[in-house]
Amino acid sequence: MTETHLARLYKEYIACLNMQKWSDLGRHVHDGVVHNGKRLGLAGYQAMLENDFASIPDLHFNIELLVADSRFVASRLAFNCTPRGRFMNLDIDGLTVSFSENVFYEFTENKILRVWSVIDKAAIEAQLPGARQPR
Amino acid sequence: MTETHLARLYKEYIACLNMQKWSDLGRHVHDGVVHNGKRLGLAGYQAMLENDFASIPDLHFNIELLVADSRFVASRLAFNCTPRGRFMNLDIDGLTVSFSENVFYEFTENKILRVWSVIDKAAIEAQLPGARQPR
């Protein structure tokens, strides 16, 4: 893996999330950030992340794979965590689940401008009691 | 986007899938290919793809984003297709759905050795009749 400039910036962003150092988020995320086609803006993006940590107190972002070029970062994030109540429209309710998120980021001016995230919901479902195995 | 060597190989692989030219698959995919942690091997991988095309007659792979380095390719694939019957444990039954797949590939000897794929199941669910919106 080539340690590109964006790969380094991305690791600093993930460290910021894991420290929940929200006062630094604007150093990593653009004011006009768009997440899965929705223009959240920095405040909306921070609110989404704060809500994630409130719903999942043991949330931790682990980078499993990282591919970067001069404009984009692609990352596979591994999670092992315990959502409270519902998560992704599923009744998790205190179960510890392992799942991945494959996510692309477009950077501009050294900040994340656009995010395209897919969370492996089928993998979570397969861990729930009475799960039917997805295809 | 830098047109790396692997990016070019990857586009040839996707063209092969879209032509369903299975006799060429072994030029793009390693004999010992592993898909989401399962060692399918070339024959098993081809069987998975042939089954996908049988279940989804209008299946077409569209590359939306592509990030590559010297060993990995990350791709966001866009689909607009009409699965017959069930897909990802959902009753689709003739509905045309749009969804993405964020997927990483590790190459060795110019062939795909490992694949880590996540399909946006929540996006599909949101298109089904009576869907509750996922978070």
Side-chain angles (χ1 to χ4, degrees), chain B residues 7-74:
Chain B
R8 186 175 55 74
L9 293 184
Y10 178 69
K11 288 176 184 172
E12 291 170 6
Y13 160 73
I14 290 296
C16 172
L17 298 194
N18 282 330
M19 291 185 295
Q20 301 178 55
K21 204 173 172 186
W22 305 127
S23 58
D24 277 5
L25 192 66
R27 287 172 47 196
H28 307 284
V29 175
H30 197 279
D31 280 341
V33 64
V34 175
H35 182 271
N36 284 353
K38 284 186 198 150
R39 194 184 187 286
L40 296 183
L42 179 57
Y45 197 81
Q46 179 176 332
M48 176 186 73
L49 288 164
E50 289 193 275
N51 181 62
D52 287 343
F53 277 96
S55 313
I56 312 171
D58 61 352
L59 182 61
H60 187 88
F61 293 75
N62 308 286
I63 301 171
E64 196 173 276
L65 292 172
L66 205 171
V67 190
D69 62 21
S70 57
R71 186 169 153 208
F72 291 94
V73 167

Side-chain angles (χ1 to χ4, degrees), chain B residues 67-135:
Chain B
V67 190
D69 62 21
S70 57
R71 186 169 153 208
F72 291 94
V73 167
S75 170
R76 180 170 170 89
L77 297 166
F79 298 96
N80 183 264
C81 60
T82 315
R84 289 207 279 237
R86 291 179 75 75
F87 176 60
M88 294 195 79
N89 232 3
L90 298 170
D91 282 316
I92 309 288
D93 211 15
L95 197 71
T96 299
V97 286
S98 297
F99 59 93
S100 298
E101 175 182 356
N102 286 1
V103 51
F104 290 80
Y105 306 83
E106 181 183 359
F107 281 71
T108 191
E109 298 159 7
N110 292 323
K111 293 182 180 180
I112 293 167
L113 177 63
R114 264 185 279 265
V115 183
W116 295 265
S117 155
V118 182
I119 292 172
D120 195 348
K121 183 172 183 179
I124 301 171
E125 288 171 338
Q127 295 167 61
L128 299 181
R132 288 172 299 171
Q133 205 62 28
R135 71 152 204 156

Side-chain angles (χ1 to χ4, degrees), chain A residues 101-120:
Chain A
E101 175 182 357
N102 286 2
V103 52
F104 290 80
Y105 306 83
E106 181 183 359
F107 280 71
T108 191
E109 298 159 7
N110 292 324
K111 293 182 181 181
I112 293 167
L113 178 62
R114 264 186 278 266
V115 183
W116 296 264
S117 155
V118 182
I119 291 171
D120 196 346

